[in-house]
């Protein structure tokens, strides 16, 4: 209810946002603006702007703010205008939305829970700068669409495998919403007991396979990418797992077997510039076979194991419990193809064919791409290493990379 700086912020909230900007980042903040604690000044001094019982003036259930009142509308507008325009926050996550809507009695009899929520969303959007991103969390999944920028579609991620499974179940059944709003599948957690200190709120006990499964669920969802670890405690391999989500994949995959399983096991992410990505999952506590027939023969690259698997027209794997496979697939009939990417779960590489070779645009620094070429190749602005079976590894230096076909 009361969103003001306390003793932990001696220089005020704007000072914190300004410091974040100095480091080249956009500041974000978390608030719960649709409800208020009993001991907040907002609630104690303004009980008239909260939803009431049907037959009395007592507060109905949770302290839900009634945005059919002018006082509540002004409160919300002023809060978000201050956060965005005055303080400079360009990302605002508003949480506990489900607690801030109510089936009680509103000041305006025409109001109900959904109308109250959508009224609040319109106020928030009108109060912030055009480039401020608003994320609705713990929210109904349909009501916010069209009125806010992002929508959390899963439960919170916690430290155990069961939480990963719960997140996947909700993400795979809701990620289609990404066509109308940016979805949030919640944050990636890379840490284990070796990367935790006294400030870690929850002690993570997931295995490396379970961590890779969580990261893959986020990657194929087409949603936003967050990390919730203390970065200074992570090693290079753990950082690399997170950066495999970057740049974010913005197109949700398609659950192929959603009608057959409570949690789909096969997600087809589509063909992006010649590379088809398919993710296979085993959410069970035992090893099981997962099969997926392709429409033709492809060259297959195993992303997590960093291994070329040859040509296949069917993906058929015995997958360990709580584990997954991410397969990059390129048309086996082509004499040249991008057969895999070592640094992106869902590759969407931009490249153009020129007279004597291929130019890649937008590769990350030190990014490695696996190429198949029936002609020998050399590189410019990149290192090219010959592997085997007409395979090459291209490693970029951050500039546009170019490969030249020899003897052309």
């Amino acid at each position: 209810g009361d969103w003001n700086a306390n003793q932990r912020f001696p220089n005020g909230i704007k000072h914190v946002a300004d410091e974040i900007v100095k480091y080249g980042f956009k500041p974000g903040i978390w608030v719960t603006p649709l409800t208020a604690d009993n001991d907040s000044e907002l609630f104690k001094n303004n009980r008239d702007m909260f939803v009431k019982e049907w037959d009395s003036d007592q507060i109905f259930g949770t302290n839900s703010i009634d945005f059919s009142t002018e006082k509540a509308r002004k409160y919300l507008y002023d809060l978000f205008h201050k956060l965005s325009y005055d303080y400079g926050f360009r990302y605002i996550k508003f949480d506990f939305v489900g607690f801030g809507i109510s089936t009680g009695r509103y000041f305006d009899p025409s109001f109900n829970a959904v109308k109250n929520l959508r009224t609040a969303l319109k106020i928030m959007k009108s109060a912030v700068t055009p480039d401020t991103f608003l994320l609705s969390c713990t929210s109904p999944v349909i009501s916010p669409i069209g009125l806010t920028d992002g929508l959390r579609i899963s439960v919170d991620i916690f430290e155990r495998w069961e939480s990963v499974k719960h997140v996947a179940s909700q993400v795979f059944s809701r990620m289609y919403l990404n066509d109308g709003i940016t979805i949030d599948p919640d944050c990636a957690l890379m840490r284990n007991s070796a990367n935790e200190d006294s400030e870690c709120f929850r002690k993570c006990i997931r295995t490396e396979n379970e961590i890779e499964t969580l990261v893959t669920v986020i990657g194929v969802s087409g949603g936003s990418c967050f990390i919730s670890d203390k970065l200074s405690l992570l090693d290079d391999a753990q950082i690399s797992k997170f950066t495999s989500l970057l740049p974010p994949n913005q197109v949700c995959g398609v659950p192929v077997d959603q009608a057959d399983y409570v949690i789909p096991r096969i997600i087809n992410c589509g063909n992006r510039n010649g590379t088809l990505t398919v993710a296979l999952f085993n959410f069970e506590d035992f090893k099981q076979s997962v099969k997926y027939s392709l429409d033709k023969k492809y060259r297959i690259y195993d992303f997590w194991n960093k291994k070329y698997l040859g040509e296949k027209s069917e993906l058929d794997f015995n997958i360990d419990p709580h584990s997954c496979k991410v397969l990059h697939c390129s048309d086996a009939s082509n004499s040249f193809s991008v057969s895999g990417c070592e640094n992106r779960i869902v590759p969407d590489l931009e490249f153009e064919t020129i007279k004597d070779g291929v130019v890649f645009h937008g590769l990350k620094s030190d990014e490695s791409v696996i190429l198949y070429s029936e002609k020998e190749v050399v590189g410019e602005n990149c290192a090219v290493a010959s592997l085997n079976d007409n395979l090459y590894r291209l490693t970029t230096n951050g500039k546009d990379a170019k490969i030249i076909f020899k003897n052309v």
Side-chain angles (χ1 to χ4, degrees):
D2 303 331
W3 301 103
N4 302 306
N6 59 19
Q7 66 276 9
R8 295 183 179 184
F9 303 93
N11 297 312
I13 299 298
K14 185 179 187 306
H15 173 78
V16 177
D18 290 343
E19 288 295 303
I20 293 170
V21 171
K22 287 181 182 178
Y23 283 91
F25 297 99
K26 294 181 180 181
I29 196 167
W30 176 100
V31 290
T32 60
L34 307 186
T35 184
D37 292 335
N38 286 333
D39 58 355
S40 67
E41 294 300 316
L42 182 74
F43 180 73
K44 290 188 294 186
N45 299 328
N46 301 279
R47 291 174 66 91
D48 56 327
M49 56 184 271
F50 289 83
V51 181
K52 304 298 192 300
E53 293 276 4
W54 283 98
D55 55 358
S56 75
D57 284 334
Q58 297 299 311
I59 303 300
F60 183 95
T62 305
N63 300 333
S64 302
I65 299 178
D66 179 354
F67 294 104
S68 75
T69 67
E70 178 61 32
K71 183 187 290 187
R73 291 194 293 270
K74 183 178 187 307
Y75 155 76
L76 187 63
Y77 183 91
D78 290 348
L79 171 62
F80 273 70
H81 191 278
K82 176 176 67 176
L83 294 174
S84 179
Y85 279 94
D86 299 345
Y87 292 168
F89 288 106
R90 291 297 177 265
Y91 175 89
I92 303 175
K93 176 178 180 176
F94 53 97
D95 204 348
F96 295 113
V97 173
F99 294 94
I101 57 178
S102 173
T103 56
R105 176 171 56 86
Y106 289 84
F107 177 77
D108 182 341
S110 71
F111 265 60
N112 56 30
V114 173
K115 186 173 182 179
N116 197 51
L117 171 59
R118 288 180 65 84
T119 298
L121 295 173
K122 292 174 183 177
I123 293 168
M124 289 187 276
K125 197 64 177 174
S126 69
V128 300
T129 64
D131 61 337
T132 297
F133 188 96
L134 298 177
L135 176 76
S136 180
C137 187
T138 320
S139 165
V141 296
I142 299 299
S143 299
I145 292 179
L147 296 179
T148 192
D149 303 294
L151 176 67
R152 174 73 168 278
I153 60 168
S154 77
V155 295
D156 291 350
I157 182 63
F158 291 126
E159 67 275 16
R160 299 177 180 274
W161 161 250
E162 290 76 16
S163 178
V164 176
K165 192 172 180 179
H166 196 180
V167 166
S169 175
Q170 293 188 320
V171 168
F172 289 167
S173 64
R174 295 171 172 174
M175 60 187 183
Y176 71 92
L177 293 168
N178 202 35
D179 284 344
I181 195 169
T182 299
I183 60 170
D184 171 15
D186 206 17
C187 52
L189 296 176
M190 248 56 64
R191 69 178 183 266
N192 53 44
S193 58
N195 311 109
E196 295 177 333
D197 60 16
S198 60
E199 292 185 331
C200 288
F201 182 62
R202 294 184 178 273
K203 302 298 183 182
C204 290
I205 57 173
R206 292 185 299 272
T207 66
E208 287 303 307
N209 283 354
E210 291 167 352
I211 292 170
E212 289 174 0
T213 297
L214 171 62
V215 174
T216 302
V217 168
I218 295 170
V220 302
S221 73
S224 54
C225 300
F226 292 84
I227 190 168
S228 190
D229 291 311
K230 184 185 286 188
L231 298 181
S232 60
L233 298 179
L234 299 182
D235 60 32
D236 289 345
Q238 291 166 316
I239 294 290
S240 180
K241 277 187 172 67
F242 180 72
T243 58
S244 69
L245 293 169
L246 307 176
N249 166 35
Q250 296 183 308
V251 180
C252 68
V254 176
V256 173
D257 55 348
Q258 192 161 32
D260 301 318
Y261 296 91
V262 174
I263 309 177
R265 305 183 307 167
I266 304 168
I267 306 294
N268 186 328
C269 294
N271 194 310
R272 316 283 179 87
N273 293 322
T275 303
L276 168 69
T277 301
V278 178
L280 309 179
F281 295 89
N282 179 8
F283 292 104
E284 304 302 332
D285 298 331
F286 50 86
K287 195 168 188 174
Q288 68 171 334
S289 173
V290 182
K291 298 181 181 180
Y292 181 55
S293 296
L294 302 170
D295 60 337
K296 55 188 172 184
K297 188 172 285 189
Y298 287 85
R299 301 184 183 104
I300 310 298
Y301 182 77
D302 184 333
F303 170 78
W304 285 118
N305 290 317
K306 303 294 186 278
K307 185 178 180 180
Y308 178 68
L309 304 181
E311 298 181 1
K312 299 176 182 291
S313 57
E314 183 179 59
L315 303 177
D316 184 358
F317 296 92
N318 286 316
I319 301 179
D320 290 332
H322 308 176
S323 301
C324 70
K325 289 278 187 184
V326 175
L327 293 314
H328 297 163
C329 313
S330 59
D331 191 338
S333 65
N334 293 334
S335 60
F336 172 85
S337 65
V338 176
S339 295
C341 183
E342 295 188 343
N343 307 89
R344 306 187 196 199
I345 290 177
V346 182
D348 192 2
L349 303 179
E350 298 181 20
F351 60 91
E352 58 179 322
T353 302
I354 56 177
K355 180 179 180 182
D356 57 348
V358 177
V359 178
F360 290 83
H361 304 291
L363 293 179
K364 299 184 286 188
S365 180
D366 295 324
E367 185 163 13
S368 293
V369 179
I370 304 300
L371 307 175
Y372 176 91
S373 178
E374 295 177 358
K375 300 175 183 177
E376 186 179 356
V377 301
V378 295
E380 294 183 6
N381 288 334
C382 61
V384 174
S386 177
L387 303 177
N388 53 54
D389 299 326
N390 297 321
L391 289 178
Y392 298 85
R393 176 184 286 108
L394 178 158
T395 303
T396 180
N397 59 12
K399 301 178 181 178
D400 282 355
K402 181 179 180 181
I403 59 168
I404 305 296
F405 299 122
K406 295 183 67 174
N407 304 319
V408 174

